[in-house]
């Protein structure tokens, strides 16, 4: 068997919004936006809104950043959008940041690069409820943090003290890891000409550990870029942007794809289906670059917001916020290899306490699935729980209830291994439910 990636379905409402120009309210004083990127989307329970924080490049008429391409007159900025339902978005005139003589815009900060904002439900100080991480693009450049009471008005930057090897011109993504009770930051460094995903942790969002490498691509055509992380079904998943450099004759040169990677401990990530895009590049709106946000949970779905661009990484990118959705249970699974007659898959030992077990799967024409319980040696079969005793009881939408002669798990307190025999099928999710 081999890993199988679920298919996220793109919304028919795409693009949700596009920043081609923002009016400042003054005649002939609009300003162009070269791209909107690194989206950071979450549903805010306090404001009862979906909120999107993202990076834009603004045309200024003056040259600010010394490493911009020749002739570009651009600065980075942190922009904001909001939505009542996650589908219809507005970019409000906030009156917070002056640009080109006006505050009638949706900008929170100038010179902010690859920003991430989280709503911290555990924070006791209301003035620190919203936490921001960004790269301050003013010299000398640093990765900084700031705090806010409302998610819009942030206080002064505080340098996070990360080592100089952290470049940070990427999505500096931050989240609270409930498993370890740490704040985690993923950012980027260089090793030679290759890009590395780095991570550091903090207990208080002020003092940060040294950065460690948690993922890297294999070669110049396969470089890891930004990587938002989320925790689901006992695993950490990363949405790594893969930059295709190196071979200038390749049709993928200077494009960015999004792959799904995973980890058991958030210390080292592995590819699920190597070199297969989770959100593929497609015409017309995202055939050049894709940068994805950590998903928002909505009922039994995961909503992945991403910016898709029809331009290359190093050039002008006409980008827009877009959405792809997938059923939670179908995020990734294990399936038979093409041409394989049948295959077996064993779980880790599970404690049997009379609970019910449900399996989410997809079966191709002519395929089938059977299961049996084994002792922890992986060989000895539990009496009455063989393949010949297995019942196939479909519930709904590809979910089966696992029973043997209409019996659920034994109520023995012992541990058992479930062994599946599979033909032309993909197993996605096994969940246990306490018997009522």
């Amino acid at each position: 068997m081999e890993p199988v990636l679920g298919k996220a379905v793109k919304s028919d409402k795409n693009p949700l919004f596009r920043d081609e120009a923002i009016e400042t309210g003054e005649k002939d004083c609009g300003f162009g936006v070269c791209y909107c990127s690194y989206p950071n989307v979450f549903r805010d329970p306090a404001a009862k809104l979906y909120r999107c924080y993202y990076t834009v490049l603004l045309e200024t008429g003056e040259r600010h950043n010394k490493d911009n391409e020749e002739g570009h007159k651009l600065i980075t900025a942190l922009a904001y959008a909001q939505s009542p339902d996650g589908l219809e978005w507005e970019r409000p005139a906030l009156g917070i940041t002056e640009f080109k003589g006006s505050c009638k815009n949706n900008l929170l900060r100038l010179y902010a690069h690859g920003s991430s904002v989280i709503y911290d439900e555990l924070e006791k100080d209301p003035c620190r409820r919203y936490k921001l991480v960004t790269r301050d693009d003013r010299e000398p450049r640093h990765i900084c943090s700031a705090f806010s009471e409302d998610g819009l008005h942030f206080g002064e930057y505080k340098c996070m003290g990360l080592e100089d090897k952290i470049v940070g011109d990427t999505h500096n993504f931050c989240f609270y890891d409930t498993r370890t009770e740490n704040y985690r930051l993923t950012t980027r460094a260089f090793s030679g000409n290759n890009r590395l995903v780095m991570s550091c942790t903090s207990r208080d969002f002020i003092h940060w550990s040294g950065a460690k490498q948690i993922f890297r691509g294999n070669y110049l055509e396969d470089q890891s870029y930004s990587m938002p992380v989320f925790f689901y079904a006992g695993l950490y998943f990363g949405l790594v942007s893969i930059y295709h450099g190196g071979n200038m004759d390749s049709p993928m040169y200077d494009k960015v794809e999004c792959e799904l990677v995973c980890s058991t401990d958030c210390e080292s990530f592995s590819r699920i289906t190597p070199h297969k895009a989770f959100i593929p590049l497609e015409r017309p709106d995202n055939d050049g670059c894709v940068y994805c946000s950590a998903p928002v949970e909505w009922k039994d779905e995961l909503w992945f917001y991403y910016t898709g661009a029809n331009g290359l990484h190093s050039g002008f990118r006409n980008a827009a916020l877009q959405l792809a959705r997938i059923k939670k249970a179908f995020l990734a699974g294990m399936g038979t290899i093409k041409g394989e007659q049948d295959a077996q898959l064993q779980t880790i030992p599970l404690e049997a306490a009379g609970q019910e077990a449900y399996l989410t799967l997809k079966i191709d024409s002519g395929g089938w699935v059977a299961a049996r319980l084994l002792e922890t040696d992986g060989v000895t079969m539990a009496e009455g729980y063989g393949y010949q005793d297995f019942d196939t009881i479909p519930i709904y939408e590809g979910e089966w209830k696992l029973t043997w002669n209409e019996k659920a798990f034994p109520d023995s307190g012992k541990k058992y291994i479930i062994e599946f025999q599979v033909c032309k099928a993909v197993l996605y999710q096994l969940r246990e439910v306490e018997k009522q």
Side-chain angles (χ1 to χ4, degrees):
M1 300 185 74
E2 65 180 3
V4 176
L5 195 62
K7 183 178 180 181
V9 178
K10 295 181 179 179
S11 172
D12 57 8
K13 290 185 174 292
N14 288 342
L16 303 181
F17 70 78
R18 186 189 307 279
D19 273 336
E20 293 176 335
I22 304 175
E23 295 298 329
T24 64
E26 297 183 15
K27 185 177 181 181
D28 300 325
C29 196
F31 56 90
V33 178
C34 286
Y35 70 78
C36 61
S37 195
Y38 306 137
N40 185 174
V41 182
F42 61 91
R43 190 179 189 284
D44 186 335
K48 297 182 179 179
L49 289 169
Y50 290 80
R51 291 184 138 174
C52 177
Y53 301 83
Y54 60 102
T55 299
V56 292
L57 282 179
L58 305 176
E59 295 177 348
T60 68
E62 301 177 6
R63 185 174 178 133
H64 286 262
N65 292 349
K66 65 181 181 181
D67 62 350
N68 280 337
E69 294 181 24
E70 190 63 33
H72 285 198
K73 301 171 182 179
L74 310 169
I75 62 170
T76 56
L78 172 58
Y80 171 79
Q82 63 187 30
S83 169
D85 59 3
L87 298 173
E88 302 294 332
W89 290 83
E90 68 164 332
R91 287 153 292 167
L94 299 173
I96 294 174
T97 299
E98 182 178 344
F99 186 75
K100 283 195 170 183
S102 173
C103 290
K104 191 179 179 182
N105 56 56
N106 69 326
L107 304 177
L108 299 182
R109 288 284 177 95
L110 302 181
Y111 309 103
H113 196 144
S115 309
S116 176
V117 175
I118 62 173
Y119 174 80
D120 189 355
E121 293 179 316
L122 300 178
E123 177 60 62
K124 296 179 180 179
D125 182 352
C127 295
R128 294 165 52 96
R129 188 63 45 81
Y130 297 85
K131 295 174 169 61
L132 164 71
V133 174
T134 192
R135 189 179 83 165
D136 184 355
D137 266 1
R138 297 169 296 186
E139 297 291 348
R141 294 171 175 170
H142 293 294
I143 307 295
C144 300
S145 63
F147 303 96
S148 170
E149 187 173 1
D150 62 2
L152 298 175
H153 300 83
F154 286 88
E156 293 298 315
Y157 284 153
K158 299 180 185 296
C159 178
M160 293 170 58
L162 303 185
E163 51 262 55
D164 292 338
K165 68 179 180 180
I166 301 300
V167 181
D169 58 339
T170 186
H171 190 170
N172 299 292
F173 178 79
C174 191
F175 72 104
Y176 183 72
D177 184 352
T178 56
R179 175 181 276 188
T180 63
E181 298 182 342
N182 276 317
Y183 299 99
R184 289 187 180 271
L185 168 70
T186 60
T187 183
R188 187 167 63 76
F190 273 108
S191 176
N193 292 322
N194 209 337
R195 294 167 166 86
L196 316 175
V197 178
M198 309 293 287
S199 178
C200 52
T201 62
S202 173
R203 288 284 186 182
D204 57 9
F205 216 81
I206 297 174
H207 305 92
W208 292 84
S209 69
K212 298 179 180 179
Q213 176 185 309
I214 58 173
F215 185 81
R216 69 175 295 166
N218 297 322
Y219 35 82
L220 293 181
E221 289 82 7
D222 180 58
Q223 299 186 52
S224 49
Y225 212 84
S226 58
M227 195 175 85
V229 173
F230 64 100
F231 186 72
Y232 173 67
L235 290 172
Y236 297 91
F237 290 91
L239 295 154
V240 60
S241 298
I242 298 295
Y243 171 65
H244 299 285
N247 181 10
M248 298 179 66
D249 295 326
S250 168
M252 292 301 295
Y253 176 73
D254 208 28
K255 294 187 176 184
V256 179
E257 293 185 288
C258 176
E259 283 192 36
L260 192 66
V261 296
C262 68
S263 171
T264 58
D265 57 10
C266 213
E267 298 293 330
S268 178
F269 284 77
S270 301
R271 282 172 147 129
I272 297 173
T273 52
H275 313 298
K276 182 177 180 180
F278 178 60
I279 299 177
L281 299 181
E282 294 176 337
R283 294 180 182 274
D285 287 321
N286 61 298
D287 63 342
C289 299
V290 165
Y291 298 94
C292 195
S293 174
V296 176
E297 294 191 33
W298 189 86
K299 296 183 179 179
D300 63 344
E301 293 183 340
L302 295 174
W303 288 21
F304 292 89
Y305 291 92
Y306 64 97
T307 50
N310 61 9
L312 299 179
H313 168 267
S314 300
F316 178 87
R317 287 178 279 180
N318 186 8
L321 185 72
Q322 302 182 54
L323 171 63
R325 297 183 285 196
I326 192 171
K327 295 285 187 181
K328 293 177 182 178
F330 293 102
L331 184 61
M334 294 291 292
T336 49
I337 302 171
K338 187 176 182 179
E340 193 175 41
Q341 293 298 314
D342 58 77
Q344 292 179 335
L345 178 70
Q346 292 185 351
T347 69
I348 62 173
L350 305 171
E351 186 172 339
Q355 71 270 36
E356 296 178 339
Y358 294 84
L359 176 68
T360 305
L361 73 164
K362 288 184 178 179
I363 301 179
D364 293 336
S365 177
W368 48 266
V369 172
R372 65 177 179 173
L373 289 190
L374 301 177
E375 304 281 354
T376 53
D377 61 8
V379 177
T380 307
M381 189 179 69
E383 185 177 353
Y385 286 86
Y387 287 136
Q388 70 277 10
D389 304 304
F390 181 68
D391 302 319
T392 56
I393 307 178
I395 304 300
Y396 72 98
E397 295 186 22
E399 187 170 70
W400 284 9
K401 181 179 179 181
L402 302 186
T403 61
W404 292 263
N405 295 322
E406 300 183 359
K407 297 181 298 184
F409 268 35
D411 192 7
S412 63
K414 293 174 58 177
K415 289 188 175 182
Y416 294 94
I417 292 169
I418 305 179
E419 180 182 83
F420 294 100
Q421 192 159 17
V422 181
C423 178
K424 296 183 181 179
V426 181
L427 309 184
Y428 284 98
Q429 179 176 278
L430 177 68
R431 65 185 183 93
E432 299 174 78
V433 177
E434 186 177 342
K435 193 172 182 179
Q436 300 297 318

